[in-house]
Amino acid sequence: MTDRKIFAGASVKRLRRGAGMTQVALADALDISASYLNLIERNQRPISARMMLLLADRFDFDPRQLVADEPGGGIDGISRRLAGPMFDDLSIDRSELEDWLAMAPNTAEAFVRVFDHGLREYAPSASKNADSLQLVQREIERWRNHFADLDAMAETLADELRLGSADLYGAIAERLRARHQLAIRILPEAVMPDLLRRLDLHSRQLQLSEMLDTASRTFQAAILLGELEAQSEIRALVTGADLQDKAAERHFQSHLSSYFAAALIMPYARFLKACEQTGYQILLLERRFGASFEQVAHRLTTLQRVGARGLPFFMLRIDRSGMASKRFVGASNASLAESPRRCPLWNIHRSFDRPWEVHTQLVLLEDGSSWFTLSQAVQGVGSGAGRNQSEFAIGLGVAADLAASLYDARGLDLSSENADLIGLGCPACTRPNCSQRSAPPKSRILQFDERELGLTPYNFVAD
């Protein structure tokens, strides 16, 4: 796999100043010259793997934070903001962004702040919902989708519930009844034709549709228990996010309630131990914790507890059109999950043709990063109720150099030369001669030759 140069000057400077050290003092500790450290902090030199480990050892932090803290979210973060139609005519390619971040990191950060502020303040009302979702998505990414306080509280509560019953659903139901005077009632689909869950405070009932499967019933009950017993912790996280948007606050609160429910069903330490023992075998994890494929996939993106980290997975949920309705990048920093478009050569799309089967693929992106991915088609929650016949494909991925321990990767050669070449959607992809291409790359000039016909109608200047 091609090594990606990491420019982390702003992060290194922040660490140094936080420790009250001069450049000379930190340079001595890292066994480099002060002038070289100065170049690193000005993003004139990339940071080496050795230096990342030395910094991590001295300042006790996850070295992957250096990548996450790149100005403007790094190249991937800025690329997401430049993906809109406003910038289509500029043909900005990745090399230009690399130069910008290297030469002027502070102006890149300033651009992102002005851009994001503009989204909040001046977006037309028709796009406010999308803007609210973006605000929440960025807050989740800032936390790497790991909320340690919620995890710890859910883990303690899960242990307490296990003392009373091995049946988690029954234990949650009893807790709701005894402590909160709330009963769970399963109602026929005809009574709740357009609803899967309803909290009726007049009758003191959590009413669930019979169309919910066992895993979904437990999850919905766990959400309510979290909303009641982790209310102050969830509210503190929402308030601390300072989203300044009511819709975003409600959406973030909903995400945190679901996070707590997943942590209650799959307590951190027990879940991570099961992952490592089984090679992250999804089916066994589903059975062991009474969870669905989607619930397990989501939980895998959250395993970032200090001192007990799991593999850094990303998760994506798409419909048949390729539209993403969920994305959790976690600690993976995967542009494959962050991209607004999908490559048709990624076999996540084939999941719809063979549902309930896990599809694996080793893929190589243009930036040289290689990923091992798993995909499976699932029905939407409560599918079959009324006119609800929804289906989605769940995609999971982890860096190929970390995938050797996975059950689904056993016996496979994970070297990049064996990977399938894919892109981040045709407008962002510059791979030549792709017969699947449906649009030209934005960053390249088209060429036309009336005497020749290639594999694609879109021929373009290579660079």
Side-chain angles (χ1 to χ4, degrees):
M1 182 173 66
T2 303
D3 289 334
R4 181 167 67 95
K5 292 182 178 179
I6 297 176
F7 294 90
S11 300
V12 173
K13 183 185 296 184
R14 184 159 51 250
L15 286 171
R16 177 176 61 79
R17 288 179 173 175
M21 300 177 70
T22 64
Q23 283 189 339
V24 172
L26 181 57
D28 287 342
L30 298 176
D31 195 24
I32 59 175
S33 67
S35 60
Y36 189 73
L37 177 60
N38 181 263
L39 291 174
I40 290 174
E41 290 191 357
R42 291 165 49 204
N43 278 332
Q44 300 298 304
R45 293 290 187 276
I47 186 168
S48 66
R50 170 184 168 277
M51 197 171 302
M52 287 179 67
L53 293 175
L54 287 173
L55 286 168
D57 181 63
R58 181 174 187 86
F59 295 104
D60 189 26
F61 73 104
D62 182 353
R64 287 172 294 194
Q65 289 178 6
L66 292 177
V67 182
D69 291 342
E70 285 182 293
I75 292 176
D76 294 328
I78 295 177
S79 295
R80 288 198 305 275
R81 294 166 174 86
L82 295 174
M86 181 191 307
F87 306 107
D88 280 355
D89 62 319
L90 298 180
S91 301
I92 301 172
D93 61 19
R94 196 174 183 87
S95 62
E96 287 185 79
L97 297 183
E98 290 176 346
D99 291 342
W100 186 18
L101 281 172
M103 300 300 296
N106 288 335
T107 59
E109 178 66 28
F111 160 76
V112 167
R113 293 183 185 181
V114 171
F115 183 89
D116 291 349
H117 178 77
L119 279 179
R120 288 194 297 269
E121 298 296 323
Y122 307 113
S125 58
S127 65
K128 283 294 185 182
N129 287 339
D131 185 35
S132 297
L133 295 178
Q134 289 178 10
L135 290 173
V136 174
Q137 189 67 39
R138 283 197 287 274
E139 185 65 14
I140 293 171
E141 290 177 10
R142 187 173 75 84
W143 284 90
R144 296 194 169 196
N145 200 24
H146 175 70
F147 301 93
D149 290 346
L150 293 184
D151 255 314
M153 185 176 182
E155 196 165 24
T156 300
L157 179 55
D159 290 341
E160 185 178 342
L161 292 175
R162 287 179 70 203
L163 293 176
S165 172
D167 172 21
L168 181 60
Y169 175 77
I172 293 175
E174 175 59 23
R175 179 90 167 198
L176 289 172
R177 185 199 64 78
R179 180 166 294 197
H180 304 286
Q181 295 74 54
L182 287 166
I184 298 178
R185 186 178 180 187
I186 309 300
L187 293 178
E189 189 269 344
V191 176
M192 299 175 63
D194 300 314
L195 291 174
L196 297 175
R197 167 193 168 184
R198 176 171 56 208
L199 179 61
D200 188 337
L201 292 177
H202 178 72
S203 61
R204 304 299 295 174
Q205 290 180 350
L206 172 62
Q207 299 170 347
L208 301 177
S209 170
E210 64 181 346
M211 298 307 297
L212 291 173
D213 59 26
T214 302
S216 296
R217 292 181 187 184
T218 304
F219 193 77
Q220 293 302 321
I223 286 177
L224 177 57
L225 189 58
E227 289 172 347
L228 293 170
E229 301 203 7
Q231 185 178 42
S232 59
E233 288 79 3
I234 291 174
R235 175 44 51 186
L237 287 167
V238 173
T239 302
D242 193 25
L243 295 171
Q244 299 180 3
D245 180 285
K246 291 298 182 184
E249 287 182 358
R250 296 289 294 273
H251 182 64
F252 189 39
Q253 182 172 317
S254 176
H255 173 79
L256 295 174
S257 297
S258 295
Y259 184 101
F260 184 91
L264 183 62
I265 295 169
M266 295 167 275
Y268 195 101
R270 282 197 283 133
F271 185 74
L272 178 59
K273 183 178 180 181
C275 288
E276 294 174 343
Q277 287 177 341
T278 66
Y280 291 79
Q281 189 176 1
I282 309 288
L283 181 60
L284 283 181
L285 296 173
E286 290 179 56
R287 299 292 189 268
R288 188 167 298 183
F289 292 92
S292 68
F293 183 91
E294 183 171 343
Q295 290 167 3
V296 170
H298 182 187
R299 187 62 170 143
L300 288 175
T301 69
T302 70
L303 303 181
Q304 292 302 305
R305 176 178 287 178
V306 175
R309 300 184 190 276
L311 293 180
F313 280 91
F314 71 79
M315 173 198 166
L316 191 69
R317 188 181 77 173
I318 65 170
D319 59 21
R320 282 186 176 270
S321 72
M323 178 70 71
S325 51
K326 283 185 181 180
R327 70 173 85 238
F328 298 110
V329 179
S332 69
N333 298 311
S335 57
L336 187 58
E338 294 178 324
S339 174
R341 299 179 178 87
R342 246 62 54 204
C343 177
L345 300 179
W346 185 16
N347 72 0
I348 186 174
H349 305 283
R350 300 177 190 171
S351 302
F352 293 107
D353 299 327
R354 289 181 291 169
W356 313 116
E357 179 182 333
V358 176
H359 303 257
T360 62
Q361 187 179 21
L362 182 65
V363 299
L364 180 67
L365 300 180
E366 286 188 276
D367 64 3
S369 63
S370 185
W371 302 87
F372 182 76
T373 68
L374 306 94
S375 307
Q376 181 175 312
V378 299
Q379 289 186 315
V381 175
S383 188
R387 294 178 296 277
N388 180 23
Q389 299 293 338
S390 57
E391 59 179 348
F392 302 94
I394 307 295
L396 273 170
V398 69
D401 58 356
L402 301 176
S405 62
L406 296 185
Y407 172 86
D408 291 286
R410 289 175 183 171
L412 299 180
D413 186 344
L414 298 174
S415 54
S416 57
E417 54 265 24
N418 295 317
D420 296 327
L421 307 182
I422 69 170
L424 299 177
C426 293
C429 178
T430 60
R431 295 195 189 280
N433 301 322
C434 176
S435 59
Q436 190 66 61
R437 179 175 290 280
S438 58
K442 291 181 184 179
S443 60
R444 295 291 183 266
I445 299 173
L446 286 175
Q447 288 181 320
F448 298 94
D449 189 336
E450 296 175 352
R451 296 170 297 177
E452 295 181 352
L453 177 64
L455 296 175
T456 170
Y458 304 108
N459 294 315
F460 49 87
V461 177
D463 194 352

